[in-house]
Amino acid sequence: MSNPVAAPQAPDHVGKTLRELRRSRRITIQQLADGLNRSTGYISQLERGLSQPTLKDLYAACTIFGVPMSWFVDLEEKQPEAEREKDIVVRGGQRRFMLHRGARTELLTPQLDSDVEFMMSTFEPGLETEPKNVPTAGAEYGYIQKGRLELWVDEEKFELFEGDSYRFNRSSTYRSRNPSKTEPAIIIWVGVYK
């Protein structure tokens, strides 16, 4: 009698990336399972690399997290230099990114972290974000690298220009807008969670 053939395992990268995204967004396994119409056990197996995700599941996860499918593709080169730097360096042309309503947000670190987010967002002309209130302790720090930004924190408006920076508590209600009709705004920001 022959042994049954085990199903191919999901690459560690996919499971780790799914866990990073879920934790960085403060989403529980139950919430993700509900969003994918799957069981919590299945999500746990995906995150540990014990189950193979379907393309439908990955596409749904991309929709939930607002990231392109390439977020789950391991672009790591197999050269010794790339192996040594993969946990330390992010090359400019190899950043993972998210697209959401006219904003492109790039991850500036090799992995997502549940305590700190280090990102660069490009706001297209006229883009305005929805009001946000993150029910967590911590702060956001930002630097306007290019362009202008209007920032509302608890409904108080601040006009920021290239070279300006800001800080506010993550528990505040906040939103922002690029007031330019022609130029993008580039913001480098760090979200710190306690």
Side-chain angles (χ1 to χ4, degrees):
M1 186 193 283
S2 64
N3 292 331
V5 177
Q9 291 190 353
D12 285 344
H13 174 78
V14 173
K16 287 177 183 175
T17 301
L18 192 61
R19 184 183 303 120
E20 287 174 358
L21 283 167
R22 182 180 61 75
R23 287 180 174 172
S24 74
R25 300 301 202 298
R26 306 276 192 279
I27 294 175
T28 66
I29 287 179
Q30 182 65 58
Q31 290 169 321
L32 181 57
D34 291 346
L36 295 178
N37 199 26
R38 293 291 194 155
S39 71
T40 56
Y42 176 74
I43 300 302
S44 178
Q45 288 180 349
L46 286 179
E47 289 186 356
R48 291 180 291 144
L50 301 176
S51 291
Q52 177 94 16
T54 66
L55 284 176
K56 181 180 176 183
D57 290 338
L58 282 180
Y59 179 76
C62 290
T63 302
I64 290 168
F65 295 122
V67 298
M69 190 69 87
S70 62
W71 194 273
F72 292 99
V73 176
D74 189 358
L75 298 176
E76 174 188 330
E77 297 175 24
K78 300 304 175 193
Q79 300 170 354
E81 299 82 26
E83 185 65 31
R84 284 194 308 266
E85 72 179 35
K86 72 176 184 167
D87 292 329
I88 299 170
V89 176
V90 178
R91 299 290 175 191
Q94 296 178 339
R95 291 187 194 120
R96 294 190 286 171
F97 66 92
M98 299 172 272
L99 297 173
H100 184 68
R101 297 183 181 178
R104 177 185 172 105
T105 299
E106 299 178 40
L107 181 63
L108 298 177
T109 55
Q111 294 89 23
L112 284 170
D113 187 313
S114 60
D115 297 325
V116 177
E117 295 176 325
F118 182 37
M119 308 281 211
M120 179 172 66
S121 293
T122 302
F123 284 33
E124 292 302 316
L127 175 74
E128 184 167 350
T129 64
E130 298 289 324
K132 293 182 190 174
N133 181 276
V134 181
T136 183
E140 181 173 313
Y141 303 82
Y143 171 76
I144 313 307
Q145 183 180 24
K146 179 180 176 187
R148 294 175 40 207
L149 187 74
E150 295 174 343
L151 175 67
W152 288 264
V153 177
D154 294 329
E155 294 306 314
E156 186 175 356
K157 181 180 177 182
F158 303 92
E159 293 192 36
L160 302 168
F161 301 90
E162 196 169 305
D164 291 345
S165 55
Y166 63 84
R167 178 211 179 272
F168 59 82
N169 291 327
R170 293 290 283 201
S171 59
S172 300
T173 300
Y174 60 96
R175 63 187 171 98
S176 53
R177 181 174 87 91
N178 176 358
S180 175
K181 295 180 182 183
T182 58
E183 299 294 323
I186 299 176
I187 300 96
I188 296 175
W189 59 273
V190 176
V192 179
Y193 301 95
K194 295 180 183 180

